[in-house]
Amino acid sequence: MKQKIMAICDTEEAYAFRLAEYLLEKGRLPFALHLFTEVEQLRCLMEQEEIAILLIAENAFKRMKEEYVRKKVLQLFVLQENEAQEREDLCCISKYQSPDLILQRVFEAAEGLSDWGLGNATVTWETKMIGMYSPVKRCLQTSFALTLGQMLAKKHKTIYLNFEYYSGLGQLLRRDFSADMMDVMYYFQCAKEKLAMRLPSILQNINGLDYIPPIQSPLSLGEVHGGQWVKLCRDIGQIGQYEYIILDLDDGINGLFELLGQCYKIYTITGKDSFAAAKMNQYEQVLRLNQLEEIAEKTVKCSFPIFHNLPENLEMMTHGELAEYVRSIAEEDIYGR
């Protein structure tokens, strides 16, 4: 299948390059992005190819024949400088708003385009899932997961998924999330053909590591069973062509063992006190009673030393004592060095 084309045309060169750079970094949509700072260049492409999506500055659009543009473009967006001049027969976007909002508007308006769903993928992408789970709490599991994820992201396309009841990730990152994992699950369950197009607008990034904002209402976790989580993770890997998915797992999720069973590697942090040992023994007994020895075989137990200095900034997790410890684990268990 020939790759669809998205084009940006704006004679304001600095703006055009910034927008294109953002879309290339954030968009991850199944089309080739073409950037034009001259109207004539855009005309040349239109003579040869059909354009799926065109984002064109208002002043550039005025220099073209509107009827011709509409014939050659499936979905047209005019980047408007003056909102007072908005036309009802055109899909207009305020040019100087957040690029996040521009991208979201594009996704919303482009849902009618055909052949954009995951089901049209012709190549099966192999993604390795790495599980993080321990029956011992307050054991630096999330710190470990974010550190490993950011390290892997330096060389491999990696995404981090948090399934904790109360992750606090938004507050720690000082970010407000307009959508979270349950929104992704909604599209997976109810509008799967739109998932590939919607996912990029929900994705966030920290130091090169993609992540989907954790569920904000823990009551929602009980509404989804394990098989659905497994299939969703596979689809996320396929859509984003991720090499690794880091699963930060918690007891509250339905299908914990189903997800762990799909992981090729599982990291379980242990403790040195009697309470931690008792919890680990009970967890391992549950695995044996339920014939889940495969999970135990894939599990790497980690007994952390005392770390005196942990990064307060989550974007700095690849530096410091914990990072050195995680790096040694990754080199041995993941890279086999």
Side-chain angles (χ1 to χ4, degrees):
M1 182 183 295
K2 189 175 181 180
Q3 194 173 27
K4 293 181 180 295
I5 294 175
M6 176 178 181
I8 298 173
C9 182
D10 194 334
T11 56
E12 189 180 338
E13 189 171 304
Y15 175 89
F17 276 102
R18 284 197 303 271
L19 182 58
E21 186 179 43
Y22 179 85
L23 291 174
L24 285 172
E25 178 184 347
K26 182 76 174 178
R28 301 181 183 87
L29 286 177
F31 47 53
L33 182 63
H34 293 250
L35 173 63
F36 303 100
T37 56
E38 297 291 339
V39 172
E40 286 304 319
Q41 296 172 339
L42 176 61
R43 285 198 183 101
C44 290
L45 177 66
M46 285 181 168
E47 290 175 2
Q48 303 171 21
E49 304 281 354
E50 183 182 57
I51 298 175
I53 293 179
L54 172 63
L55 285 165
I56 183 168
E58 188 176 15
N59 61 350
F61 184 62
K62 290 178 179 178
R63 293 164 55 187
M64 302 190 72
K65 292 182 179 180
E66 183 174 330
E67 184 178 351
Y68 175 73
V69 174
R70 289 183 181 274
K71 287 181 179 179
K72 302 296 290 184
V73 176
L74 295 179
Q75 188 69 56
L76 172 67
F77 300 91
V78 176
L79 297 171
Q80 204 168 38
E81 298 177 8
N82 185 351
E83 294 185 18
Q85 299 177 357
E86 185 171 345
R87 286 172 44 181
E88 293 183 358
D89 61 334
L90 279 178
C91 189
C92 298
I93 301 176
S94 177
K95 178 177 177 179
Y96 298 113
Q97 64 182 315
S98 160
D100 264 330
L101 296 176
I102 292 177
L103 188 58
Q104 183 176 349
R105 181 73 184 277
V106 169
F107 291 150
E108 291 173 352
E111 286 180 356
L113 295 180
S114 61
D115 300 329
W116 280 47
L118 176 66
N120 296 289
T122 57
V123 178
T124 300
W125 187 265
E126 183 179 354
T127 302
K128 293 182 178 179
M129 290 195 285
I130 299 176
M132 302 282 178
Y133 172 73
S134 175
V136 181
K137 305 310 172 188
R138 296 187 60 81
C139 60
L140 298 179
Q141 176 176 303
T142 294
S143 297
F144 182 16
L146 287 171
T147 302
L148 179 61
Q150 290 180 38
M151 286 181 178
L152 289 174
K154 293 183 181 298
K155 297 181 180 179
H156 310 276
K157 198 169 183 185
T158 306
I159 186 169
Y160 166 78
L161 305 179
N162 185 299
F163 292 92
E164 291 181 287
Y165 255 30
Y166 301 101
S167 71
L169 204 59
Q171 181 175 333
L172 291 170
L173 291 170
R174 296 182 178 86
R175 298 183 186 179
D176 294 322
F177 303 125
S178 59
D180 62 23
M181 181 67 84
M182 284 310 298
D183 293 282
V184 177
M185 178 54 77
Y186 166 80
Y187 286 108
F188 174 77
Q189 292 175 326
C190 304
K192 193 171 182 179
E193 73 282 357
K194 300 176 183 177
L195 179 60
M197 188 168 58
R198 284 292 191 171
L199 183 61
S201 67
I202 298 175
L203 284 175
Q204 302 287 321
N205 189 278
I206 176 173
N207 194 25
L209 173 66
D210 282 350
Y211 68 94
I212 295 173
I215 293 170
Q216 298 177 47
S217 173
L219 297 178
S220 304
L221 275 171
E223 299 174 359
V224 184
H225 60 74
Q228 290 175 312
W229 286 123
V230 169
K231 291 177 182 177
L232 176 61
C233 288
R234 288 175 178 166
D235 280 7
I236 289 172
Q238 176 77 19
I239 292 169
Q241 295 189 337
Y242 290 105
E243 294 179 67
Y244 293 101
I245 297 179
I246 306 291
L247 301 180
D248 192 351
L249 298 167
D250 189 67
D251 295 316
I253 183 172
N254 281 339
L256 170 64
F257 293 135
E258 289 180 71
L259 281 167
L260 288 174
Q262 295 299 313
C263 296
Y264 97 103
K265 188 79 67 177
I266 301 164
Y267 290 100
T268 295
I269 303 171
T270 62
K272 298 178 180 179
D273 60 276
S274 58
F275 285 98
K279 290 181 178 182
M280 279 301 304
N281 287 336
Q282 184 176 351
Y283 168 62
E284 291 173 340
Q285 184 179 14
V286 169
L287 294 181
R288 289 193 297 270
L289 290 174
N290 290 277
Q291 299 180 337
L292 296 171
E293 290 85 358
E294 179 189 3
I295 292 177
E297 291 170 1
K298 294 187 290 187
T299 295
V300 177
K301 293 182 183 179
C302 304
S303 180
F304 285 171
I306 296 175
F307 298 115
H308 298 284
N309 294 298
L310 293 173
E312 294 184 7
N313 186 341
L314 296 187
E315 296 183 353
M316 298 296 292
M317 297 303 294
T318 55
H319 303 275
E321 298 173 285
L322 175 61
E324 288 303 313
Y325 185 87
V326 174
R327 187 173 288 109
S328 65
I329 293 175
E331 288 182 353
E332 181 178 349
D333 294 325
I334 296 178
Y335 296 119
R337 297 174 184 172

